[in-house]
Amino acid sequence: DSGVTQTPKHLITATGQRVTLRCSPRSGDLSVYWYQQSLDQGLQFLIQYYNGEERAKGNILERFSAQQFPDLHSELNLSSLELGDSALYFCASSAAGLAGGRSDTQYFGPGTRLTVL
Amino acid sequence: AQSVTQLDSHVSVSEGTPVLLRCNYSSSYSPSLFWYVQHPNKGLQLLLKYTSAATLVKGINGFEAEFKKSETSFHLTKPSAHMSDAAEYFCVVSDRTGTASKLTFGTGTRLQVTL
């Protein structure tokens, strides 16, 4: 158990809909990351938040957005869903301080499997 | 941009024989490199991490990896495979500037262990 929790575990919805995925980081970790794993694209970094602020952005679609709340949990919002958005969405957390070493290590949650019909 | 290349998409070994999963990296500076494992329908678990402290890194479950700068490689090995090692393995490089960080994953190597 990594200490990172994600809800829900599974989500089935229809095209055009909007969903929210939730992530709680490990105790004490300030950074939260979102990744998408799909058969055709593999594992891709979407976005990072550090202590409530966006820090790094990857291949995240404009239809997707995220935020990190004062209690450090994060939500990934996916809107106008398309069939191609079906994937496993992972959240990870790390200490991510200014130095290297342990702060680089990201611990992953169990994922949310999104199916768009 | 940093990247990793996993040279084999699928590796099959017999139980009790050595495992070698190959990874090459591309980086303009000394990178942080990781191996993660993903068992079927499970999340990603950290196996080991290299951050320039020692070139031979020992991880969990008997796995280890050696960082070779001259070959730009970070291959994952295990002396004796176990059935429970069957999973997908990802070589990963970290790109970090201050508090901004992201991981770039290789395409994965599926390890099959047969009796």
Side-chain angles (χ1 to χ4, degrees):
Chain A
D1 185 1
S2 67
V4 178
T5 59
Q6 289 186 250
T7 55
K9 201 169 182 177
H10 301 277
L11 201 47
I12 301 174
T13 188
T15 54
Q17 294 299 304
R18 172 190 168 95
V19 297
T20 298
L21 313 184
R22 183 188 167 101
C23 167
S24 292
R26 295 186 321 151
S27 177
D29 282 356
L30 297 179
S31 270
V32 169
Y33 310 79
W34 288 96
Y35 292 84
Q36 179 193 59
Q37 184 178 33
S38 62
L39 284 174
D40 53 344
Q41 299 287 337
L43 261 159
Q44 289 198 98
F45 167 72
L46 295 178
I47 198 164
Q48 177 207 0
Y49 275 81
Y50 173 78
N51 204 20
E53 294 185 6
E54 183 184 304
R55 273 289 183 266
K57 217 165 184 176
N59 299 322
I60 188 166
L61 299 172
E62 284 192 14
R63 300 183 285 109
F64 296 1
S65 65
Q67 54 186 326
Q68 186 179 27
F69 294 88
D71 67 352
L72 300 177
H73 90 271
S74 177
E75 292 181 355
L76 179 67
N77 300 294
L78 315 176
S79 61
S80 303
L81 285 167
E82 302 174 359
L83 295 177
D85 297 328
S86 295
L88 196 50
Y89 291 84
F90 286 109
C91 168
S93 76
S94 78
L98 292 175
R102 291 172 60 246
S103 63
D104 274 325
T105 304
Q106 294 184 23
Y107 297 90
F108 283 77
T112 293
R113 184 170 294 282
L114 173 66
T115 302
V116 182
L117 301 175
Chain B
Q2 303 191 91
S3 64
V4 288
T5 301
Q6 292 185 244
L7 300 171
D8 308 290
S9 60
H10 183 258
V11 169
S12 181
V13 300
S14 300
E15 190 175 34
T17 65
V19 175
L20 170 64
L21 305 182
R22 299 181 296 164
C23 173
N24 286 126
Y25 70 90
S26 172
S27 174
S28 55
Y29 52 89
S30 186
S32 289
L33 293 162
F34 307 78
W35 277 98
Y36 281 85
V37 61
Q38 185 177 26
H39 287 92
N41 299 313
K42 298 282 186 183
L44 292 151
Q45 182 182 21
L46 178 68
L47 275 181
L48 51 80
K49 170 184 179 179
Y50 167 76
T51 54
S52 75
T55 55
L56 184 61
V57 182
K58 292 190 184 298
I60 61 171
N61 302 332
F63 284 95
E64 62 181 37
E66 186 171 9
F67 176 77
K68 291 188 177 180
K69 188 174 181 179
S70 60
E71 299 175 10
T72 61
S73 69
F74 189 57
H75 301 336
L76 182 70
T77 60
K78 182 173 181 178
S80 176
H82 191 272
M83 294 297 288
S84 61
D85 294 328
E88 186 95 18
Y89 291 79
F90 293 94
C91 182
V92 182
V93 63
S94 171
D95 190 351
R96 190 180 60 80
T97 305
T99 54
S101 177
K102 69 170 189 176
L103 300 181
T104 299
F105 285 76
T107 50
T109 298
R110 182 163 297 278
L111 176 65
Q112 180 182 17
V113 182
T114 58
L115 287 171

